Amino acid sequence: MDVQDQYTLGLTAFSPDRGYWTSGPGFVAPGYVQSGRGLFPIPNGGYSQRFNQTSAWGVAVYGNGGMNTTYSADYAGQAFPSPFCGKTGVFCGRNSGADLNQAFITAGYAQSFGRLSVGFAPVLAVQIFKARGLEIFAPFSSAPEQLTNHSYNWSVGAGVRAGLQYKLTDSLRPGVAGSSPIWMSPLENYKGLFANRGDFDIPANLTAGVAYDVLPTFTLLADWKHIFYSQVPSVGNSSTEQLLLGSMGAPGIGWRDINVIKVGGEHRGFDKLALRLGYSYTPIPSTLAT
């Protein structure tokens, strides 16, 4: 309940290093191969308004992106040229890669009880996905016609988010929050690629953080987030599962749960304007690269 009536706008510059390294016999392009397009702008915005001194509501819109790989046709697989690999490209499909973008809308309500504040918000989500250059995997798919080279496929879904904050002192505020899985409609055009016939839910997460007012106009913030990737079959299932792509329990990306650390600061020294700057660190092991 420390937020006054306000609009917020933000832009995150996300710059992941995506690629792979391989050696020895195989069919993919050898050595270190790096994905193109290294910078992704991710916007966000919101509005909050108080009902009274102890309750408020708000709406937020934010995006999630950067899960994009783009490999040039200039790379040639080790089996090129051959009947098995008749085209250039890392997967013998010329330009190859995948693109996933997600957008979220939340409308929440918060109530304070003395030093304790609690909040609840339903979450609506929309995601789009596109894959190309993966046709060499068609013999290993349960639905090869819904594997690759389709246009963007839309998926919609919903979940819930809740959290609480406790004011230890007038300047120190710890809090925790959690989000359920966001259950999404299947990606029908790619049900031959993703496990469970195209299911691609958004994983649950749990966050703990703290805010400390160094000055009346400057706040330091830090939080830890745990993302439950292993609970989403298309993401968490092992890539070595001996089943056809797209089938129930089929191979996934093989991601494990991860921990994200964020630190930042907020400066409120201007009339009707707050400036925020932060850094996020996500230690994903190289074995999870896609």
Side-chain angles (χ1 to χ4, degrees):
M1 298 303 303
D2 300 309
V3 177
Q4 303 297 320
D5 296 356
Q6 64 177 13
Y7 297 95
T8 62
L9 292 174
L11 184 68
T12 299
F14 183 47
S15 182
D17 184 13
R18 293 143 304 123
Y20 72 84
W21 184 90
T22 185
S23 63
F27 75 91
V28 298
Y32 178 68
V33 178
Q34 188 170 24
S35 171
R37 190 184 175 193
L39 183 64
F40 301 87
I42 306 174
N44 62 81
Y47 172 74
S48 63
Q49 183 181 45
R50 287 192 174 201
F51 289 120
N52 49 50
Q53 292 301 309
T54 61
S55 63
W57 75 280
V59 62
V61 180
Y62 53 99
N64 187 24
M67 301 180 198
N68 169 293
T69 51
T70 305
Y71 295 109
S72 170
D74 294 338
Y75 295 107
Q78 298 176 62
F80 175 83
S82 71
F84 179 70
C85 183
K87 299 178 182 178
T88 60
V90 296
F91 295 123
C92 306
R94 296 191 59 77
N95 296 99
S96 61
D99 190 14
L100 174 68
N101 288 278
Q102 298 167 333
F104 305 86
I105 302 174
T106 67
Y109 173 80
Q111 177 76 46
S112 66
F113 305 91
R115 289 185 172 271
L116 177 67
S117 298
V118 296
F120 171 84
V123 182
L124 301 178
V126 177
Q127 64 183 2
I128 58 173
F129 176 81
K130 179 179 180 180
R132 60 196 180 281
L134 306 179
E135 53 265 36
I136 199 168
F137 298 103
F140 310 102
S141 172
S142 61
E145 68 281 2
Q146 276 86 41
L147 172 70
T148 187
N149 298 345
H150 291 283
S151 59
Y152 281 101
N153 196 176
W154 291 77
S155 173
V156 297
V160 294
R161 183 170 180 80
L164 60 86
Q165 175 185 275
Y166 188 76
K167 195 177 279 190
L168 283 175
T169 69
D170 289 341
S171 59
L172 182 62
R173 302 177 300 279
V176 295
S179 177
S180 74
I182 300 179
W183 295 277
M184 306 297 294
S185 59
L187 292 162
E188 293 289 343
N189 289 350
Y190 294 96
K191 63 183 180 182
L193 176 62
F194 293 122
N196 299 1
R197 307 294 290 170
D199 277 354
F200 202 96
D201 293 337
I202 298 171
N205 64 76
L206 180 66
T207 301
V210 62
Y212 179 67
D213 297 326
V214 180
L215 299 169
T217 59
F218 183 71
T219 302
L220 291 175
L221 308 104
D223 68 51
W224 160 88
K225 176 186 284 189
H226 186 80
I227 305 176
F228 296 90
Y229 282 122
S230 63
Q231 303 304 306
V232 178
S234 290
V235 178
N237 283 2
S238 171
S239 60
T240 61
E241 292 287 345
Q242 300 299 307
L243 295 169
L244 291 175
L245 294 171
S247 62
M248 301 301 293
I253 300 173
W255 282 26
R256 298 187 299 272
D257 296 349
I258 63 169
N259 297 304
V260 181
I261 304 297
K262 298 179 183 178
V263 295
E266 179 183 80
H267 178 60
R268 300 176 297 279
F270 304 97
D271 184 33
K272 297 183 179 180
L273 176 66
L275 300 178
R276 300 183 180 101
L277 181 67
Y279 174 77
S280 174
Y281 175 65
T282 307
I284 301 177
S286 60
T287 53
L288 305 186
T290 58

